[in-house]
Amino acid sequence: MDQELSGTMRSISINSNGTTKQQQQLNGHSMKTAVSCGTDEIDNVRRVTATIGGDVDVAKTTNASKTPASAATTTPSPSLIQQQQLQQSLPSYASASVAEKKKMVHELCQQLLLTDEQVHELCYRILHEVRRGLAKDTHPKANVKCFVTYVQDLPNGNERGKFLALDLGGTNFRVLLIHLQENHDFQMESRIYAIPQHIMIGSGIQLFDHIAECLSNFMADHNVYAERLPLGFTFSFPLRQLGLTKGLLETWTKGFNCAGVVNEDVVQLLKDAIARRGDVQIDVCAILNDTTGTLMSCAWKNHSCKIGLIVGTGSNACYVERVEEAELFDAPDNRKPHVLINTEWGAFGDNGALDFVRTEFDEDIDTHSINPGKQTFEKMISGMYMGELVRLVIVKMTRAGVLFKGQDSDVLNTRGLFFTKYVSEIEADEPGTFTNCRLVLEELGLSNATDDDCANVRYICECVSKRAAHLVSAGIATLINKMDEPHVTVGVDGSVYRFHPKFHSLMVEKITQLIKPGITFDLMLSEDGSGRGAALVAAVACREDVLNSK
Ligand code: BGC
């Protein structure tokens, strides 16, 4: 799924009680794995030492101060004027007092804090956009596509057997062999392969040949080369599904841009690549999104799990919807009342619906991204962008002389080098201490920071991560309210949720405020949704096959 290991192959063995052998650093976040590197390992693992643990068809505007009519009561960001004043008077703040500097930072960050009114407006707009995605007439123009997943059955706990899974959607690609056993027991062997940058932006043929090669090597190494196994393919990009084993890529996200894949059937591309090799036999039983995998993986143990959420490199959610609401679903079996919907909410705001809360920093991120104008919501939330957002605020404050006496560094000035894991690390410092913060600043070449600088940097991190948590919460509360069930468990995965010290509690607090009285919810950390979830979707599909063939 989206573990951000900037390296290549890692073999991981894990069983149902989660026991593993070795502590591995995932983008600076720790994760328990049993690591055994293969000979074909590419040696570029980055090791990090710090471990911590209305109708929203509005024309797109680019100015954060523009307040759409439906949000007329929303207070415009007061900080824009202050920002302009700041810009005009650079860098005279170097000699300002500690209190004045703190005030400057807090004032600049004001635009990152969402008022209750703004969050309510967001819920309203998200619901509107979800409805537009579900309805036939409005779907073509909707940003939140609400793709039908064709998954109609949640696991019942009786799924058994040996399955292969592929997991593509983050910096790495994984192949897994999963053995589902009785009593929610399972055995899982997996290996992580890097997707080199040239493949991420190369041709689709190259990408799928690489995937098929990794799959073949994995099968050989795990003594299943000669077996014909069912396979679930977790493909974590917007996919217009036409069936459980057919889906056309809508657009690439998260830094991928392989030519010749958009509008193509991704399952066919995989089968073609496997056929080109001609060495292994695979039955692709299902293609799914990582949110679906997460939901299925949690629902295997907890039957109230009806939403799957990812806050990692990217962000997205899926949920259980009533068939009659999913107008695009050509239901193969009318007796089943529900279907999973992959919202693809990362694209929310691409039509300007988020402009009333966007900032100059969001604008900057978008302009310099590989997909300008796309994935607006995701760019305000997910791990691919969070560190960069913090960096942009720090750079601005440094240039104004408010931070580090105005002294910057080459690393600080380089895009992409303030990793999102730094945000988690800095916020994991005990109140009043700045141990991790100083380590991070040293990595950035900023070794003369005062405690006051550290406190200000930490505040910037808190504002960026709190905004992300509140945006995600607005989305989740909207789905919970729409489902209108007495209790919903939300299965969650992704590096930001998993490793940020406060993301979970920020979400619990905000969702509680936003859901209808009488509804309860909980957030459940998913155990390897993309891997086990893929096996479960494949298993449920096989279960169906068996039933249908009777
Ligand atoms: C993709 C989604 C995916 C999410 C989390 C987004 O960029 O469009 O399909 O679920 O990232 O990985």
Side-chain angles (χ1 to χ4, degrees), residues 1-2 168-170 235-239 251-254 289-292 309-317 342 344-347 371 375 378 382 385 530:
M1 191 202 31
D2 83 322
L168 180 74
F235 182 77
S236 306
F237 300 96
L239 200 66
T251 179
W252 285 112
T253 59
K254 295 179 286 199
N289 187 258
D290 51 358
T291 54
T292 305
L309 167 69
I310 301 285
V311 196
T313 306
S315 180
N316 188 17
N342 169 16
E344 285 295 339
W345 76 17
N371 51 351
Q375 299 296 104
E378 175 165 277
S382 77
Y385 311 97
S530 300

